[in-house]
Amino acid sequence: MSIAAQQSEEDFSKAHNKAFFNEIQHFLNPEEASLLSLNDVKQLIKPKNETYVGMKTIEVSKVVGSEGRYNDFDNRFFPKNSHLKNRWQHVDEAAINSVVLPPIKVYELAGLYFVRDGNHRVSVAKARGTEFIDAEVVSLQSEIVLKRPDNLRDVIRQIINYEKRSFYAETAFGDITDYWCLDFSTTGSYDVIYNHILTHKYYLNLHKTEEVSMEAAIISWFETVYYPIIVTIQKQKVMKSFKKQTISDLYVWIVRYWDDLKSKFGDDNISIDDAVSDFYRQNKIPLYRKFMNWANRIIIKHQQ
């Protein structure tokens, strides 16, 4: 066995062990150690179009995911599976012997890169501390720019923060209402709120000779729709069963549920108090069920 082959075998062992210990550290939350899937991020960001950029040198640190091999590597691109060994070592040997390999192929999305072809080359580059790599780039156009995320949850958090900044900037919602904690745990919710306000504005304008301004509509929606529902949610202590959600999440869910009730029973006189009470009754999880869900998750993780 050549010196380069011996070195590459040792390099793979180190990288593979790092992936193993990374999984152990995130045993209770395995998604935190998972490599990003391009498709998952595309579904969240919804890029507008695709542009061929061509050849360029990119930062290895900005390669954060893969189009198809995201199950083979962890979130730091260390190899998780032993079947990657032969190919990984061949790429590593080439690096040791200064052999120039073909450029990788990547998608650029939100300022980050996702591998189309060349996952092993990226893995070796990261393991060796290489800073730059040649790549053929196709750009997926998006207004969002992400800082290097640790996992999909971090991507979601960054997108929500972007959506909040955009909503507050475009509507002046905070300046108008002095309410700065309209927060959500899922993407796309600010568009829902904007549509609620537009719908409210439409009804305010019915039978009016002068159009109600957007500012007046926002104030009216906040004071007569949003805030009363929030007060009812707090009064009925609904949040104690939805600790991972925000109170604005509950507002959106309950408004949808309220509309479903009125549509189902054909009764526009169903009060918000009744809607909140019924929503809570239908969706709260009994204590024994919470325990069983927790126990099942532990059992499944031990079996994997």
Side-chain angles (χ1 to χ4, degrees):
M1 181 182 292
S2 67
I3 295 176
Q6 291 177 343
Q7 182 63 54
S8 67
E9 187 168 5
E10 183 179 333
D11 289 345
F12 178 82
S13 180
K14 288 180 180 179
H16 185 47
N17 286 338
K18 286 180 179 179
F20 175 70
F21 287 118
N22 191 25
E23 284 193 290
I24 291 177
Q25 288 176 339
H26 297 91
F27 173 71
L28 295 177
N29 297 290
E31 69 280 355
E32 293 182 358
S34 299
L35 186 63
L36 290 176
S37 159
L38 172 66
N39 187 56
D40 288 346
V41 179
K42 281 174 66 177
Q43 288 181 358
L44 291 168
I45 294 181
K46 298 178 176 60
K48 297 176 181 177
N49 50 56
E50 183 176 304
T51 303
Y52 180 75
V53 176
M55 299 298 303
K56 63 184 294 188
T57 300
I58 64 173
E59 296 178 49
V60 174
S61 63
K62 290 186 176 181
V63 183
V64 299
S66 174
E67 180 181 28
R69 304 295 296 272
Y70 46 86
N71 288 322
D72 289 338
F73 303 89
D74 72 358
N75 62 327
R76 297 177 297 177
F77 251 103
F78 291 128
K80 293 165 60 176
N81 302 312
S82 57
H83 73 261
L84 304 173
K85 181 177 180 179
N86 287 339
R87 190 170 177 184
W88 198 98
Q89 286 187 201
H90 287 153
V91 174
D92 192 48
E93 281 187 55
I96 293 170
N97 292 321
S98 300
V99 175
V100 178
L101 295 175
I104 63 172
K105 296 180 180 180
V106 298
Y107 283 109
E108 184 274 325
L109 176 59
L112 302 171
Y113 298 101
F114 297 80
V115 182
R116 299 169 57 200
D117 180 61
N119 292 277
H120 292 79
R121 279 166 278 170
V122 171
S123 180
V124 168
K126 284 183 178 278
R128 299 183 65 81
T130 303
E131 294 187 14
F132 299 95
I133 192 168
D134 291 332
E136 184 179 6
V137 181
V138 173
S139 180
L140 303 176
Q141 302 298 303
S142 168
E143 296 176 355
I144 299 175
V145 176
L146 298 175
K147 296 180 181 178
R148 193 197 185 289
D150 294 321
N151 46 56
L152 188 61
R153 183 184 300 174
D154 192 20
V155 171
I156 293 172
R157 179 186 59 80
Q158 290 190 47
I159 293 173
I160 293 171
N161 288 342
Y162 168 83
E163 291 176 343
K164 180 177 182 178
R165 290 194 303 269
S166 298
F167 174 80
Y168 271 76
E170 291 171 7
T171 64
F173 185 85
D175 295 323
I176 293 170
T177 63
D178 198 30
Y179 187 77
W180 300 92
C181 47
L182 188 69
D183 298 310
F184 294 97
S185 63
T186 56
T187 62
S189 296
Y190 290 97
D191 286 341
V192 173
I193 294 298
Y194 188 69
N195 286 330
H196 282 196
I197 294 171
L198 289 180
T199 301
H200 187 71
K201 183 176 184 291
Y202 167 79
Y203 284 108
L204 288 177
N205 277 309
L206 290 177
H207 313 300
K208 295 279 187 180
T209 55
E210 293 185 8
E211 184 174 354
V212 174
S213 69
M214 191 63 178
E215 179 175 345
I218 289 173
I219 293 173
S220 176
W221 172 84
F222 180 76
E223 293 180 348
T224 65
V225 180
Y226 176 81
Y227 194 68
I229 293 176
I230 296 303
V231 170
T232 305
I233 292 170
Q234 292 171 331
K235 182 177 66 177
Q236 298 194 23
K237 300 179 180 179
V238 178
M239 290 302 297
K240 65 183 180 182
S241 292
F242 299 91
K243 297 186 184 300
K244 292 185 178 181
Q245 278 70 46
T246 71
I247 199 164
S248 295
D249 288 331
L250 268 292
Y251 160 80
V252 171
W253 294 355
I254 287 170
V255 167
R256 188 179 297 124
Y257 185 75
W258 193 15
D259 287 340
D260 288 344
L261 285 179
K262 290 186 286 189
S263 175
K264 181 178 180 181
F265 297 105
D267 186 358
D268 289 336
N269 294 319
I270 297 174
S271 71
I272 184 58
D273 289 85
D274 290 339
V276 172
S277 297
D278 198 60
F279 174 87
Y280 182 44
R281 187 166 52 253
Q282 294 291 333
N283 292 279
K284 71 177 180 179
I285 303 175
L287 184 61
Y288 80 89
R289 178 59 61 187
K290 290 182 179 180
F291 174 78
M292 291 300 296
N293 290 344
W294 173 82
N296 287 335
R297 287 198 299 270
I298 296 298
I299 292 170
I300 290 170
K301 286 175 180 177
H302 276 292
Q303 290 175 341
Q304 288 177 340

